[in-house]
Amino acid sequence: MNQEGYETVLSIHRVPVSKLRSECSPEQFPFETTADLETLPNEMIGQQRAEQAMDFGLSVEQSGYNLFVVGPSGTGRMTYTQHSVKKLAKERPVPDDWCYVNNFENPDRPLVINLPAGSGIQFQRRMENLLIDIEREIRATFSNEETEKKKRSIIDESQNQVEALWKETEAFAADLNFKLERTPAGIQSFPLFFGRPMEKQEYEQLSDANKEKLKEREKQLGEKINETLYQIRKIEEQLRKKLDRFNKQTAAFAIEGLFQPLKEAYHDIPKVLNYLEEYYHDVVEHFSLFLTDQEEKNIVAQALAGSKEQQLHRYAVNLLVSHKNRSGAPVIYETNPTYQNLFGKIEYRGAFGSWTTDFTFVKPGAMHLANGGYLILQAAELLQQPYAWTLLKRALQTGQIQIEDPFAERGVFPASGLKPEPIPLKIKVIIIGSYYLYDLLSSVDEDFHKLFKVKVEFDTVMKRNEENRIKMAHFIKNYAERKGLLPFHRRAVAKVIDHSSRLAEEQEKLTARFQDITKILVESSYWAKKEGAPFVDEGHIRKALEEQSNRANHISEQYHEMIANGTIMVDTDGERIGQINGLAVMGTRDATFGIPTKITARTFVGKSGIMNIERETSLSGQIHNKGLLILTGFLSGVFAKNHPIPLSASITFEQTYSLIDGDSASSTELYVLLSSLAGVPIQQGIAVTGSVNQWGEIQPIGGVNEKIEGFFAICKERGLTGRQGVIIPQQNIANLMLNDEVVEAVKVGKFHVWAVRHISEGIEILTGESAGAERNAGGRFPEGTIFAKVEERFHKMYESVKEANQ
């Protein structure tokens, strides 16, 4: 191919300057700065699918329609989720308040009561006042004169009965000629002798018959005394019962009227009425709690039973959830979704070296607070917490919130035996997570899709149409005002939109990663303020981008330095057979950059095929290995029509010592193989990227902007010759958003970008010779073309092997 023909080939495939980047015209914006824009409420940009899914999921009230918001961080998924949920929650009714009260029949099973929104605290205060009134009324009633008189009457009646029994017994003793004496030590009886107690000497002088009679009468008297004592114990027992009945009747009469207003106030809530009835009977049963002063109690008994205040806890109301002063349904975003933070907990207090608890120590979790509304969780945080995911599923499946201690069996905390009554659950759970976590839960948890039927997917890009450009301008205005930034001139807004397309890696798209956009807004405003400018202009956007690059390009500068001093050998001028510059993208935590890599190939007679040195040294990934096998398929399909090709070749990425993966260099590897086989040198000022299929068609790759800019930077350092450039796949033209420096160099002819569709087009640009990829009528490639030279080389190899085998 002569020089004129070569220039024609270069011209045909050269990408026009107009297609190297898509530039937003500032003139399309109907404002000078964003300060002139009308203030509009924040809205999502370019996420119509996510908006529709969110609206549907939040509106469906049937069970199982919880939401999983999926997408990469920085796309506004959290902000939009909270905004959407709060907006809808305002229109929803306020849910009930929830209280735990004592179960007087079974204290280990506290009862739950729901009350109309905001009335829980009123109920709690009413019950506190009721307790105060009960103590006052009971004390007053039991201390008045009438009650004491009635009690004394009951006691006197029993005492009279006892005295009557003793008189009867004493008379019986007198009939037997005995005298009784009642002492603190007990009851003593004495035989009488002429009306006085018999002396021992007198007893000894009695005859045996009289002694026997005396013993008989003494036995009769003992039986009578025992009978009397039995009757007295019965009277005392009856007295205790009468006093207890009297005290309870007195207490019941004293407090009965206190419950009536409450029963009338809560007549339409059966559970409250039942609780008040049980409360009333328990107070009557334990009226003594209100009469015993703290200092009067035995110290040991007091310690065992607890203080009076602790004992009166049985009548408290544990207001678990109160929605007083709330408008709309609750929205809870739980940032630390441990089991206790989600489902509540039961606290303990120390007593005599052990732990005790009661219903007043039951504390709410996010599920209680969000019940009747919405709960937002982060998937990554949720799945890191023991039991949290499993018990969240259980709650959604059963429709109940059960407070329990999942660690009790493991002995982390003592088991209290307290099991509060479950609370009915009506909630919409929204989980926010990555694609990976969504796919993981989908594959390993069969219940996942039953409970989270709505997927809200946030995309990373959106269309670069007029509507989204205007929305982006409003987003910039709102963010600037919210964060105290300077207004943005329309030139700056246009530059931000161009940078957004660069981040999206497509000319007709904008990035949906608003986190990356806000970084530029903040930093450009900083540089504008530093200059004392009244607004942010396009120069400040460029400055912010340059500074971002400077902060993150330490590694790329090291590579450039090693290439410049020859430590990494890369040629950017001249011609070499079997050597080409491939392009790779490397990345750090906060930046990606392109670097050229020398790829070399050697070909010789043999049967081992193409040896990938990286694969042999375990430095090649699976996708890269696949690319090498595709090259074998292409060469065999094109050049092994009539006989096998006894090819042995070695190919490698020079001076690379880390894992190589991906197929974006497969076309580059094919070019260098063709160069080695044909013996045709490749222009070293031209770098190549792009994958290839078995038909030799060039396929698109990623990171095209970084690759071009990376090679341009090396060429610039060594001196631009006007013959340097990069070959890219034709499909990647739509992804070009090159920086101003590269575009300017292309505009003045110092650097070039070519786009090709087939391997034959690229080899012509690289070598300046015709590819000759089409066979003529005789089935041969045109004489003197690269494909003809390759086929001739294969033929010689075949003949050489054939002769060696004869």
Side-chain angles (χ1 to χ4, degrees):
M1 183 188 303
N2 57 32
Q3 186 63 31
E4 183 178 352
Y6 182 51
E7 291 295 335
T8 301
V9 169
L10 295 178
S11 177
I12 290 172
H13 296 290
R14 186 176 290 115
V15 179
V17 174
S18 61
K19 293 186 177 182
L20 296 180
R21 64 182 291 113
S22 176
E23 293 190 345
C24 179
S25 172
E27 304 303 322
Q28 65 184 278
F29 296 113
F31 59 87
E32 190 68 18
T33 70
T34 53
D36 304 328
L37 269 175
E38 178 186 1
T39 300
L40 297 177
N42 287 323
E43 60 177 326
M44 204 64 205
I45 307 175
Q47 300 285 3
Q48 287 79 8
R49 181 188 294 105
E51 292 181 54
Q52 292 171 1
M54 180 74 73
D55 182 64
F56 168 76
L58 293 178
S59 301
V60 176
E61 297 183 358
Q62 281 69 25
S63 62
Y65 282 85
N66 299 294
L67 293 80
F68 196 105
V69 181
V70 62
S73 178
T75 55
R77 56 185 186 173
M78 172 56 75
T79 303
Y80 181 69
T81 298
Q82 290 181 312
H83 173 74
S84 300
V85 173
K86 288 178 180 178
K87 181 180 178 181
L88 183 61
K90 292 179 181 179
E91 304 170 2
R92 300 286 180 172
V94 183
D96 289 345
D97 292 349
W98 293 93
C99 306
Y100 270 115
V101 296
N102 187 29
N103 184 344
F104 296 106
E105 292 185 0
N106 189 353
D108 289 339
R109 299 293 184 266
L111 302 175
V112 70
I113 294 176
N114 60 306
L115 299 162
S119 62
I121 192 167
Q122 183 185 33
F123 177 69
Q124 185 185 48
R125 289 172 179 171
R126 282 179 170 179
M127 300 310 293
E128 290 173 355
N129 292 333
L130 174 64
L131 187 63
I132 295 171
D133 292 342
I134 286 173
E135 184 171 13
R136 184 185 63 247
E137 288 297 324
I138 288 179
R139 283 181 176 270
T141 301
F142 277 85
S143 62
N144 66 36
E145 186 177 345
E146 185 66 25
T147 303
E148 289 293 331
K149 186 184 294 183
K150 290 180 180 179
K151 185 186 294 186
R152 174 50 55 189
S153 174
I154 295 171
I155 295 172
D156 288 346
E157 181 183 353
S158 296
Q159 288 179 343
N160 291 336
Q161 292 176 355
V162 170
E163 287 300 321
L165 284 172
W166 280 120
K167 286 181 180 179
E168 181 184 345
T169 305
E170 288 173 349
F172 182 80
D175 292 341
L176 295 176
N177 205 24
F178 272 81
K179 181 180 181 181
L180 295 179
E181 285 188 4
R182 287 178 284 169
T183 67
I187 300 172
Q188 296 182 353
S189 60
F190 304 97
L192 298 176
F193 186 73
F194 296 106
R196 59 176 177 76
M198 182 180 292
E199 298 289 340
K200 184 176 181 180
Q201 183 179 2
E202 294 172 339
Y203 174 78
E204 293 295 336
Q205 293 176 354
L206 292 177
S207 64
D208 291 340
N210 288 335
K211 287 181 180 178
E212 201 57 44
K213 290 179 180 180
L214 187 63
K215 288 180 180 179
E216 182 65 28
R217 291 198 302 273
E218 187 175 20
K219 181 179 179 182
Q220 292 177 7
L221 180 60
E223 292 174 353
K224 180 64 176 177
I225 291 172
N226 289 336
E227 175 65 21
T228 301
L229 291 175
Y230 173 73
Q231 293 297 328
I232 290 173
R233 284 195 294 269
K234 286 180 64 176
I235 292 171
E236 290 176 346
E237 180 65 26
Q238 290 174 357
L239 174 61
R240 284 194 293 271
K241 290 180 179 180
K242 286 180 181 180
L243 287 175
D244 185 60
R245 185 163 54 250
F246 170 78
N247 288 333
K248 289 179 179 178
Q249 289 174 348
T250 302
F253 178 78
I255 67 173
E256 186 176 12
L258 300 177
F259 285 83
Q260 196 58 37
L262 291 172
K263 290 181 178 180
E264 292 176 0
Y266 298 102
H267 69 278
D268 55 345
I269 307 178
K271 211 162 186 180
V272 174
L273 294 179
N274 292 337
Y275 171 67
L276 290 174
E277 191 67 24
E278 294 296 326
Y279 188 120
Y280 168 76
H281 290 299
D282 191 78
V283 170
V284 171
E285 188 70 26
H286 298 89
F287 69 92
S288 59
L289 287 175
F290 302 91
L291 298 174
T292 306
D293 290 328
Q294 192 72 30
E295 57 273 8
E296 295 176 358
K297 295 182 67 175
N298 180 274
I299 296 177
V300 176
Q302 175 185 327
L304 292 172
S307 65
K308 180 179 179 180
E309 182 182 355
Q310 290 173 344
Q311 293 184 69
L312 291 179
H313 271 182
R314 62 193 294 115
Y315 303 114
V317 172
N318 181 1
L319 181 56
L320 197 72
V321 178
S322 174
H323 294 295
K324 184 177 175 60
N325 301 326
R326 177 183 292 281
S327 60
V331 178
I332 303 297
Y333 172 38
E334 180 54 61
T335 58
N336 183 27
T338 63
Y339 169 79
Q340 288 85 358
N341 287 349
L342 281 178
F343 297 95
K345 58 184 175 180
I346 301 172
E347 294 181 344
Y348 299 86
R349 64 168 176 258
F352 276 78
S354 63
W355 297 95
T356 61
T357 188
D358 58 46
F359 73 97
T360 63
F361 287 84
V362 177
K363 304 300 178 183
M367 295 285 284
H368 299 94
L369 300 176
N371 195 11
Y374 306 88
L375 176 63
I376 303 174
L377 302 170
Q378 287 282 2
E381 299 293 337
L382 177 67
L383 296 177
Q384 290 179 32
Q385 304 298 334
Y387 304 104
W389 171 251
T390 301
L391 294 178
L392 174 63
K393 289 196 307 174
R394 184 184 300 170
L396 294 175
Q397 289 168 335
T398 60
Q400 293 181 334
I401 312 173
Q402 177 68 65
I403 302 178
E404 53 190 345
D405 186 359
F407 304 102
E409 295 180 359
R410 305 178 66 179
V412 178
F413 292 106
S416 66
L418 198 67
K419 191 173 183 180
E421 180 183 1
I423 294 177
L425 177 64
K426 184 179 180 182
I427 196 172
K428 185 79 71 173
V429 178
I430 303 100
I431 295 180
I432 300 173
S434 64
Y435 291 104
Y436 169 76
L437 291 178
Y438 181 85
D439 294 339
L440 177 66
L441 290 171
S442 298
S443 60
V444 303
D445 194 328
E446 62 182 8
D447 298 323
F448 175 67
H449 286 294
K450 297 177 184 177
L451 299 174
F452 292 87
K453 296 180 179 179
V454 182
K455 177 184 179 183
V456 182
E457 185 171 0
F458 278 74
D459 202 350
T460 57
V461 296
M462 55 187 168
K463 292 181 179 179
R464 181 172 167 164
N465 52 29
E466 181 179 357
E467 178 186 359
N468 286 340
R469 288 196 295 267
I470 294 297
K471 286 183 176 180
M472 182 69 81
H474 281 284
F475 168 78
I476 294 172
K477 171 187 174 62
N478 291 342
Y479 187 84
E481 291 180 349
R482 190 165 66 250
K483 298 297 182 180
L485 308 181
L486 291 175
F488 282 72
H489 195 275
R490 58 183 178 179
R491 291 188 295 267
V493 173
K495 202 68 179 176
V496 170
I497 289 176
D498 290 343
H499 179 63
S500 179
S501 292
R502 165 71 182 237
L503 295 174
E505 295 187 343
E506 193 167 348
Q507 294 179 356
E508 298 304 317
K509 300 286 186 182
L510 296 173
T511 184
R513 292 179 178 267
F514 293 99
Q515 181 178 345
D516 296 328
I517 298 298
T518 56
K519 285 172 59 178
I520 293 299
L521 300 182
V522 171
E523 294 176 25
S524 59
S525 177
Y526 167 79
W527 294 112
K529 287 181 179 179
K530 194 170 183 179
E531 288 183 6
F535 50 77
V536 179
D537 211 335
E538 61 179 330
H540 303 122
I541 303 294
R542 289 195 183 93
K543 175 68 173 176
L545 292 173
E546 289 172 3
E547 290 298 324
Q548 277 191 4
S549 176
N550 289 338
R551 293 196 299 268
N553 67 357
H554 176 65
I555 302 298
S556 64
E557 285 185 354
Q558 288 183 331
Y559 271 94
H560 290 173
E561 183 179 343
M562 287 188 288
I563 292 173
N565 62 27
T567 302
I568 297 178
M569 294 186 292
V570 173
D571 294 329
T572 58
D573 200 8
E575 299 178 339
R576 294 288 296 272
I577 296 174
Q579 177 176 311
I580 193 171
N581 287 323
L583 295 174
V585 172
M586 297 189 68
T588 60
R589 291 184 178 90
D590 54 358
T592 57
F593 56 92
I595 59 168
T597 302
K598 181 190 290 187
I599 302 174
T600 60
R602 301 296 298 270
T603 54
F604 40 89
V605 178
K607 297 182 180 180
S608 60
I610 301 174
M611 181 181 68
N612 177 11
I613 294 178
E614 273 71 33
R615 181 176 61 194
E616 299 301 319
T617 56
S618 299
L619 290 177
S620 177
Q622 294 179 348
I623 299 176
H624 184 238
N625 292 337
K626 176 185 175 182
L628 264 294
L629 294 174
I630 288 174
L631 302 191
T632 302
F634 172 79
L635 293 174
S636 299
V638 174
F639 300 105
K641 297 290 187 181
N642 301 318
H643 52 73
I645 50 177
L647 172 66
S648 287
S650 64
I651 189 166
T652 188
F653 285 67
E654 302 288 358
Q655 293 182 286
T656 57
Y657 309 103
S658 57
L659 182 69
I660 295 174
D661 203 2
D663 63 348
S664 64
S666 58
S667 67
T668 314
E669 293 166 321
L670 183 52
Y671 289 134
V672 77
L673 278 173
L674 292 175
S675 168
S676 178
L677 288 167
V680 177
I682 288 176
Q683 300 286 340
Q684 298 301 293
I686 301 176
V688 181
T689 185
S691 68
V692 67
N693 62 23
Q694 291 190 103
W695 295 97
E697 296 169 332
I698 305 299
Q699 300 171 146
I701 44 79
V704 64
N705 294 298
E706 289 80 4
K707 291 176 178 179
I708 294 173
E709 291 169 359
F711 187 65
F712 172 80
I714 299 301
C715 293
K716 179 186 173 185
E717 289 178 4
R718 293 191 170 182
L720 296 171
T721 63
R723 299 183 299 274
Q724 297 152 328
V726 175
I727 299 175
I728 66 171
Q730 183 76 28
Q731 301 94 318
N732 280 124
I733 292 177
N735 306 113
L736 292 177
M737 285 297 295
L738 297 171
N739 62 38
D740 295 337
E741 189 176 17
V742 176
V743 173
E744 186 61 31
V746 173
K747 187 182 295 185
V748 298
K750 291 185 177 181
F751 194 76
H752 308 277
V753 179
W754 296 282
V756 297
R757 297 182 183 275
H758 194 271
I759 201 76
S760 60
E761 299 172 355
I763 198 67
E764 290 182 346
I765 297 173
L766 287 166
T767 62
E769 296 192 16
S770 298
E774 299 293 331
R775 294 180 183 271
N776 56 28
R780 300 181 63 85
F781 292 113
E783 188 71 25
T785 63
I786 291 176
F787 275 47
K789 292 178 179 179
V790 171
E791 188 169 56
E792 182 181 356
R793 175 76 183 279
F794 280 140
H795 180 73
K796 290 180 179 180
M797 288 180 175
Y798 175 72
E799 292 297 331
S800 175
V801 171
K802 187 177 179 181
E803 290 177 4
N805 291 334
Q806 289 178 352

